[in-house]
Amino acid sequence: MKEYELKYGCNPNQKPAKIFMHDGSEIPMEILNGRPGYINLLDALNSWQLVKEIKEALGMCAATSFKHVSPTSAAVGNPMSAELKKAFFVDDIEGLDESPIATAYARARGTDRMSSFGDWIALSDKCDVTCAKLISREVSDGIIAPDYDPEALEILKAKKKGAYNIIKIDTDYVPAAQEHKQVYGITFEQGRNNFKIDAQLLNEIVTENKEMTEEAKRDLIIALITLKYTQSNSVCYAKDGQAIGVGAGQQSRIHCTRLAGEKADKWHLRQHPKVLNLPFKDEVRRPDRDNAIDVYLSEDQDEVIGDGFWEALFTEKPEEFPRAEQREYLASLKGVCLASDAFFPFGDNIERAAKSGVSFIAQPGGSVRDDNVIEACNKHNMTMAFTGMRLFHH
């Protein structure tokens, strides 16, 4: 396939639209099912690069859930606890423990389920039957992977009444060193961002605390690679082999840190017994459960557990989960990792990170207020590494 005509571009009025290779060569992917659109393909190609790089850096299979050209999460196939499976609505998936690629996607999808509604999926490894069954029951636009088990492919083809987008990527493809794009008729050219992210990037530790566990290195690498394909400004919280809170496209870094921190907090709070034991009625769908949990963890929880509201969702009135109790629970957490695509300009980012249990940080450094940021880390006994490399993505 040397050219693929699209229904339209970013919006229905943007016609004609197509993808092709400027050198006239074959497009390095095969559309096995469906008719992906312009934004679908942007998500597919960005997400594939993300999981490919995590696999190369850590030697573990990886998955990501993408929406609007940024990841909601990325994860490796680290085994899941019973609590995490229940929190992510995958405790009923048979064979999950035996399928690292399905586990990776279960983690990625479960992190921020509201944002992942209608996602694009990327897998670093072949999609097996367990992973396909998991995907089959979620609302999703499409998937890109290097290969598919025959039975898995048939399961996926049945989604969306046969219109589910399925792409097979050529893993041997290497893009040109220079890349181009046009804005307002003007062509931009730059070298591809081939910067390699690995554990050596974390060697320059600038805080009093020099401890850096192997788990922290793994999680910081996942966070940094996730940021490499997230719309800037961006920060990423990570824990247990996955991104647990991604803040993308914010003009202010502290707003980005707060946004991602709120998502990370909800990742933890979803595993709290009060949330795990919410008495949902059997007929309440997963997206409606996601919305209800989101409100339950907010200041507006009366809108789901107040009289006249809870009856539609639950078999009995749930127990209140006051904000003060939530904050107390979050204050007990440690070991969370935080990465930033550019330097932290003020210590307020560190203060916010501390509220979400952050113990390890990776950021480029280079701010005129680095001393202030380091001082804030020392105050909270955090370990911070300067990577020396900005990871802006636009």
Side-chain angles (χ1 to χ4, degrees):
M1 179 175 67
K2 293 189 175 182
E3 182 176 293
Y4 182 71
E5 184 178 350
L6 304 171
K7 189 175 181 180
Y8 51 77
C10 278
N11 298 290
N13 64 300
Q14 293 178 270
K15 301 176 182 179
K18 64 181 178 180
I19 60 169
F20 60 96
M21 306 294 285
H22 265 289
D23 63 2
S25 62
E26 295 283 328
I27 297 172
M29 61 185 184
E30 183 181 357
I31 298 171
L32 302 180
N33 199 67
R35 187 183 179 185
Y38 190 97
I39 295 174
N40 291 148
L41 292 168
L42 288 175
D43 280 342
L45 296 174
N46 278 282
S47 62
W48 164 248
Q49 294 176 81
L50 192 163
V51 297
K52 178 175 180 287
E53 290 190 27
I54 290 179
K55 174 71 177 290
E56 291 171 349
L58 297 175
M60 302 177 71
C61 66
T64 187
S65 172
F66 251 63
K67 281 289 292 290
H68 295 289
V69 206
S70 282
T72 69
S73 178
V76 294
N78 207 31
M80 300 172 71
S81 67
E83 292 79 12
L84 196 61
K85 289 178 184 176
K86 187 173 181 180
F88 287 1
F89 304 153
V90 295
D91 51 328
D92 61 335
I93 296 291
E94 294 183 8
L96 187 60
D97 291 337
E98 289 73 47
S99 173
I101 194 63
T103 298
Y105 180 64
R107 284 180 171 275
R109 174 73 185 214
T111 299
D112 184 3
R113 288 185 56 84
M114 290 187 67
S115 295
S116 287
F117 187 84
D119 66 346
W120 186 277
I121 300 162
L123 306 179
S124 67
D125 290 53
K126 179 190 289 187
C127 180
D128 63 17
V129 172
T130 303
C131 192
K133 287 181 177 179
L134 172 61
I135 294 168
S136 70
R137 65 184 196 175
E138 301 289 0
V139 178
S140 170
D141 275 359
I143 180 173
I144 186 170
D147 204 357
Y148 302 84
D149 283 337
E151 185 180 347
L153 183 59
E154 293 308 309
I155 292 170
L156 294 175
K157 282 183 176 181
K159 276 182 69 63
K160 299 183 74 171
K161 299 180 179 180
Y164 190 63
N165 296 310
I166 306 172
I167 295 176
K168 181 178 178 180
I169 186 72
D170 179 359
T171 57
D172 294 327
Y173 169 68
V174 177
Q178 294 295 109
E179 59 184 15
H180 307 83
K181 73 174 182 178
Q182 285 193 339
V183 178
Y184 200 54
I186 297 171
T187 298
F188 288 64
E189 178 181 277
Q190 66 175 353
R192 282 185 48 78
N193 187 1
N194 288 323
F195 182 73
K196 184 178 180 180
I197 295 172
D198 57 25
Q200 293 185 17
L201 205 60
L202 306 172
N203 287 340
E204 187 185 348
I205 297 177
V206 296
T207 46
E208 293 173 356
N209 189 344
K210 306 294 183 183
E211 179 188 9
M212 181 75 76
T213 65
E214 291 304 310
E215 291 79 10
K217 291 178 182 178
R218 174 201 62 197
D219 293 345
L220 286 171
I221 289 170
I222 291 171
L224 288 166
I225 295 175
T226 298
L227 292 175
K228 190 177 175 184
Y229 297 100
T230 302
Q231 296 295 299
S232 301
N233 282 330
S234 60
V235 303
C236 178
Y237 293 71
K239 175 74 172 171
D240 196 29
Q242 68 171 98
I244 63 172
V246 179
Q250 302 302 301
Q251 290 80 8
S252 166
R253 191 154 301 275
I254 183 58
H255 289 159
C256 196
T257 303
R258 290 170 184 163
L259 173 62
E262 290 171 3
K263 293 183 177 185
D265 291 347
K266 287 185 177 180
W267 181 85
H268 284 291
L269 290 168
R270 282 186 70 121
Q271 299 171 69
H272 189 280
K274 284 191 175 181
V275 178
L276 292 178
N277 295 320
L278 284 170
F280 283 105
K281 293 180 176 179
D282 291 340
E283 63 268 24
V284 177
R285 301 178 308 149
R286 284 188 300 277
D288 294 325
R289 295 186 186 208
D290 293 327
N291 292 336
I293 291 171
D294 192 68
V295 177
Y296 179 68
L297 294 174
S298 75
E299 295 178 353
D300 301 318
Q301 63 179 240
D302 282 347
E303 294 181 6
V304 292
I305 66 171
D307 290 340
F309 293 97
W310 69 263
E311 294 89 345
L313 296 165
F314 306 107
T315 57
E316 60 184 82
K317 187 174 182 178
E319 188 178 354
E320 291 185 5
F321 195 3
R323 297 287 280 180
E325 186 179 344
Q326 294 179 32
R327 286 192 290 269
E328 182 181 1
Y329 174 71
L330 293 170
S332 68
L333 303 174
K334 296 296 179 186
V336 176
C337 293
L338 173 65
S340 176
D341 68 351
F343 62 67
F344 286 122
F346 300 102
D348 56 355
N349 291 275
I350 308 305
E351 297 297 335
R352 174 60 188 86
K355 295 179 180 179
S356 294
V358 169
S359 300
F360 306 96
I361 296 177
Q363 58 127 328
S367 167
V368 295
R369 299 179 185 84
D370 276 348
D371 289 347
N372 172 252
V373 175
I374 293 171
E375 181 182 355
C377 287
N378 289 335
K379 171 185 169 184
H380 294 285
N381 197 34
M382 296 177 182
T383 302
M384 181 167 66
F386 278 178
T387 66
M389 177 55 66
R390 195 176 75 179
L391 295 170
F392 278 175
H393 180 66
H394 293 284

